[in-house]
Amino acid sequence: QLQLVESGGGLVQAGGSLRLSCATSGIIFSLQSMGWFRQAPGKQRELVAGITTGGSTTYADSVKGRFTISRDNAKNTVYLQMNSLKPEDTDVYYCNVVRTFNWSPRYDYWGQGTQVTVSS
């Protein structure tokens, strides 16, 4: 049974940094491409960053050069290092397994997410 547990969010001033973690279970993590998504109230969930099993990455244009996605297969965990944060990065952040060909989430199940709030 898939479980996704996001953590690491919080309140930070603009220009600050946060590191998000997503611990997974119920899947063979090393065989899965993973993605970080974010969602603001009333808006659709959007892909922020993705990473393949081989370590190839993709980023939303709005976060390129500021965010870095990484993975630790030994810990079944995917990370999102967020630097130079902006108020517009304020959202709830989620992770999920993704389909590599289009980076869409593979499962309808989502964890509880982690709130990131950036003050100006």
Side-chain angles (χ1 to χ4, degrees):
Q1 181 177 347
L2 173 64
Q3 285 200 335
L4 304 166
V5 180
E6 299 92 349
S7 62
L11 174 62
V12 64
Q13 286 189 332
S17 298
L18 285 172
R19 188 193 193 205
L20 307 184
S21 299
C22 171
T24 73
S25 61
I27 57 172
I28 304 176
F29 181 79
S30 61
L31 300 182
Q32 309 296 334
S33 294
M34 299 296 299
W36 279 98
F37 297 79
R38 64 187 180 188
Q39 185 173 29
K43 292 189 177 181
Q44 283 197 328
R45 198 167 280 152
E46 62 173 1
L47 178 74
V48 175
I51 186 167
T52 68
T53 56
S56 296
T57 57
T58 191
Y59 296 93
D61 288 343
S62 59
V63 307
K64 281 181 181 176
R66 301 188 297 123
F67 291 9
T68 303
I69 189 172
S70 62
R71 63 190 299 156
D72 186 335
N73 289 341
K75 295 183 178 179
N76 296 334
T77 299
V78 60
Y79 302 98
L80 186 67
Q81 178 67 43
M82 310 165 69
N83 298 328
S84 302
L85 282 161
K86 303 176 180 180
E88 51 263 44
D89 295 318
T90 296
D91 270 322
V92 181
Y93 286 72
Y94 303 86
C95 68
N96 208 324
V97 180
V98 296
R99 300 179 181 90
T100 307
F101 76 95
N102 66 357
W103 300 103
S104 64
R106 185 171 175 183
Y107 297 105
D108 291 333
Y109 164 80
W110 295 88
Q112 83 288 351
T114 187
Q115 175 71 49
V116 172
T117 303
V118 185
S119 63
S120 57

